[in-house]
Amino acid sequence: MIRDHPIWGVGLDQFVTQYAPRYVDPAGWYERFTSHPHNIVLDFYVRLGLLGLWWLVFTLPPMLLRGWRAAMRLRNNATETTNVGTGNVQFALTLGAVGALVDFTIHGFVDQGYFLHMLAFGFWFAVLIIRLGYTAAFSLPQPAVGALDPAPRVTRPPATAILRKQTRIAP
């Protein structure tokens, strides 16, 4: 099928109509109901041709790398700031989205990977969460190099004590 349609592929949802009548060996006729290639790389290449393969290669690995970097930066920023609640949630969401893309990739090597509406929606939702986490991670101030533990908290005396100290009249 790739040999017959190397550049443009067979088109979206055309694998079934092309596969059974033209490419199934009569000895393996039980395979005539195969609806998609069970490999994400072959699925993108057969359906969308070289452009689909290019899209897969230049979208999935950079998103995984960007999400991992954002999650690690959010983790470091969450330990450095005093408001750890927001940073922890952003870290967890970004790391979960990276995990979803890893699952998307691994699942795509054994079954349908992208070309179902629910899988495509999940993919783009994970990309959105990674993008938001990346924006949040790199808009926050960078923690000091080598500072893995939070800095000790500096306590100030209450404002009333400062005022009393300044208004005190010497005897």
Side-chain angles (χ1 to χ4, degrees), residues 1-2 5 7-16 35-37 41-50 52 112-116:
M1 195 177 294
I2 290 173
H5 307 277
I7 296 174
W8 300 111
V10 295
L12 292 174
D13 208 24
Q14 296 300 310
F15 183 83
V16 175
S35 62
H36 61 276
V41 176
L42 287 177
D43 200 8
F44 270 82
Y45 191 25
V46 166
R47 290 179 193 246
L48 301 175
L50 288 175
Q112 185 86 350
Y114 179 80
F115 294 103
L116 290 175

Side-chain angles (χ1 to χ4, degrees), residues 8 18 23 34-35 78 153 159:
W8 300 111
Q18 295 283 323
Y23 300 102
T34 302
S35 62
R153 181 175 279 188

